Amino acid sequence: MNCIIIDDEALARSIIRNHCEKSTDVEVVAQFENAISAIKYLNQNEVDLIFLDIHMPDFTGFDFIQTLKSPPKIILTTSDRNFAIEAFEYDCIVDYLVKPVGLPRFLKAIQKAQQFSLTSKEPAAPAAATEAKQEEGKDLYINIDRRLIKIDFDSILIIEAKGDYILIKTEGKNYTVHSTLKKIEEKLPESKFLKIHRSYVINFHKIIDIEDNSVLIAKDVIPISRSNRPILMKRLNLL
Amino acid sequence: MDAPNLLKIKEISGGMTDFEQEMLQIIKEELPEEIEQYHSNLEAKDFLKTAGDVHKLKHKISILNMKHGYETAVTYENELRAGRPTSAQDFEAVLNKMVVFVNQL
């Protein structure tokens, strides 16, 4: 397997690289101290495995994963012994290693990555199936006061997180629903909607203009988080 | 408070002295930079960035085998993320021990 290492700490990169040299199953083809450089590399090159630090300034490991359309296998590295459960929400994550990483534990993770290749090497099909499923529907039903109200995807402008609720702003009306951004994101077609901030999902086709750190949709100025900005820029049909 | 030592580094290097020396050299270079960054963000009272600096330093604390120092860092990082840091002095003591140790290498 060829792999890359992404970690802002030279010590962490050195340890992983040295461990890789002791394994015949994995070869380091590149190392990066930030996620942005790695994204540029991955736009041109394919890799089998990524060693990815979760906590990096500006752009976390999880932000990075979200920019990848078909992520390769990923082994997370972290200094947290009490590791965040969030990691298990991503199918591409094979294992996680707590720093400093010892060789026996490293080799076990490599073994897991190899088994992962044998059993689940075709993530493209299920991913495509999910997208197709999302594209099938043109609307969404929300439950308000025991009534199921139909909302056309095309009429949605913005969805804003508000504590335990979300505010769905459409061209005609606004709806407050007891749900989370994560739940509604799963129901929305990826071709139309994009999360640009931890509190905002927008209908990509409703953007009027974009300034440095905000987008204008209808009369609302929505902030773009630094970590989501690259994803947004990637989606734009720039002249 | 526990004293820094090389046990963990020797364990990770598996007795390969080149690897061990490489790790020590990086620690000598990275540690002062990370501490400087930490002090700068702390002075600016940017607690979120400071928490990120403490998080990064946790790896160095672990690799120098300071178990209590690691726990201090975890507590302090959580305090910083909550915007109520109270363990700055304890953490500073951990950093000082590391610096003294690394400078002697």
Side-chain angles (χ1 to χ4, degrees):
Chain A
M1 291 182 289
N2 63 15
C3 75
I4 61 171
I5 304 167
I6 309 171
D7 200 308
D8 60 322
E9 212 191 338
L11 179 65
R13 293 197 302 272
S14 160
I15 290 173
I16 296 294
R17 184 178 45 77
N18 272 281
H19 286 342
C20 285
E21 283 169 8
K22 291 193 186 83
S23 166
T24 52
D25 299 317
V26 64
E27 186 190 355
V28 180
V29 290
Q31 302 176 61
F32 305 94
E33 59 180 311
N34 62 64
I36 304 288
S37 311
I39 291 169
K40 285 179 191 163
Y41 178 86
L42 290 171
N43 282 337
Q44 307 286 330
N45 302 278
E46 272 190 25
V47 298
D48 301 313
L49 177 66
I50 300 175
F51 290 95
L52 176 64
D53 182 25
I54 301 169
H55 289 91
M56 290 181 286
D58 305 328
F59 212 94
T60 72
F62 293 122
D63 295 333
F64 168 78
I65 294 172
Q66 284 172 25
T67 67
L68 304 177
K69 277 199 171 169
S70 49
K73 288 163 278 181
I74 292 174
I75 296 176
L76 294 175
T77 57
T78 172
S79 293
D80 280 329
R81 288 173 194 169
N82 300 316
F83 188 66
I85 202 79
E86 192 180 353
F88 299 102
E89 290 176 13
Y90 297 90
D91 292 337
C92 56
I93 296 173
V94 177
D95 202 354
Y96 72 89
L97 297 170
V98 178
K99 299 179 201 176
V101 182
L103 183 62
R105 183 65 186 85
F106 172 85
L107 294 174
K108 201 174 164 184
I110 294 297
Q111 202 178 1
K112 271 192 190 181
Q114 282 179 308
Q115 283 165 356
F116 190 88
S117 347
L118 293 172
T119 55
S120 51
K121 198 167 179 181
E122 293 174 339
T130 307
E131 198 167 320
K133 191 179 161 193
Q134 284 172 339
E135 293 294 349
E136 275 170 20
K138 291 184 174 174
D139 45 49
L140 170 79
Y141 282 83
I142 57 168
N143 190 341
I144 294 183
D145 296 334
R146 297 182 185 175
R147 283 170 57 217
L148 290 173
I149 297 170
K150 186 173 91 169
I151 302 179
D152 286 335
F153 287 140
D154 287 339
S155 74
I156 298 175
L157 301 168
I158 306 158
I159 303 160
E160 182 181 355
K162 285 190 173 287
D164 293 336
Y165 292 83
I166 50 170
L167 172 65
I168 304 171
K169 290 188 176 181
T170 72
E171 284 165 340
K173 208 174 167 188
N174 296 343
Y175 303 92
T176 302
V177 187
H178 187 264
S179 188
T180 62
L181 272 192
K182 189 168 176 56
K183 275 186 192 165
I184 196 166
E185 258 191 289
E186 287 166 7
K187 306 282 182 190
L188 299 170
E190 285 176 23
S191 58
K192 290 189 174 75
F193 292 89
L194 186 65
K195 190 175 184 181
I196 60 165
H197 184 274
R198 65 179 174 174
S199 300
Y200 293 97
V201 169
I202 61 163
N203 186 335
F204 187 73
H205 299 291
K206 303 290 181 184
I207 295 175
I208 295 170
D209 66 40
I210 302 174
E211 276 193 40
D212 283 351
N213 298 314
S214 62
V215 296
L216 178 66
I217 294 180
K219 290 176 183 171
D220 289 294
V221 178
I222 312 296
I224 310 168
S225 69
R226 201 183 295 177
S227 59
N228 289 94
R229 190 176 160 78
I231 309 166
L232 173 65
M233 297 313 286
K234 214 172 172 180
R235 291 276 294 270
L236 298 178
N237 186 17
L238 285 172
L239 185 64
Chain B
M1 189 194 295
D2 46 358
N5 60 68
L6 297 178
L7 289 176
K8 189 64 107 183
I9 288 177
K10 287 186 184 299
E11 183 190 314
I12 288 168
S13 71
M16 293 182 68
T17 49
D18 286 355
F19 183 16
E20 192 178 312
Q21 284 310 311
E22 183 181 326
M23 280 191 275
L24 291 174
Q25 188 55 39
I26 295 172
I27 291 171
K28 281 181 187 176
E29 286 166 16
E30 272 193 338
L31 184 64
E33 290 169 9
E34 288 176 10
I35 292 175
E36 193 184 329
Q37 184 70 53
Y38 158 73
H39 282 143
S40 162
N41 284 327
L42 182 64
E43 211 170 284
K45 294 198 186 311
D46 189 333
F47 293 149
L48 271 184
K49 279 190 180 171
T50 312
D53 299 330
V54 173
H55 181 89
K56 200 169 175 182
L57 281 157
K58 282 199 300 196
H59 186 206
K60 304 278 187 308
I61 297 169
S62 278
I63 210 160
L64 292 176
N65 210 24
M66 299 173 77
K67 294 186 178 73
H68 295 302
Y70 180 88
E71 295 307 324
T72 303
V74 170
T75 304
Y76 185 40
E77 184 187 344
N78 290 337
E79 290 171 0
L80 283 161
R81 291 198 191 280
R84 292 186 298 274
T86 58
S87 304
Q89 283 192 331
D90 295 339
F91 186 69
E92 198 64 43
V94 175
L95 295 181
N96 288 338
K97 286 217 168 203
M98 290 165 76
V99 169
V100 170
F101 179 74
V102 168
N103 286 342
Q104 286 171 349
L105 292 173

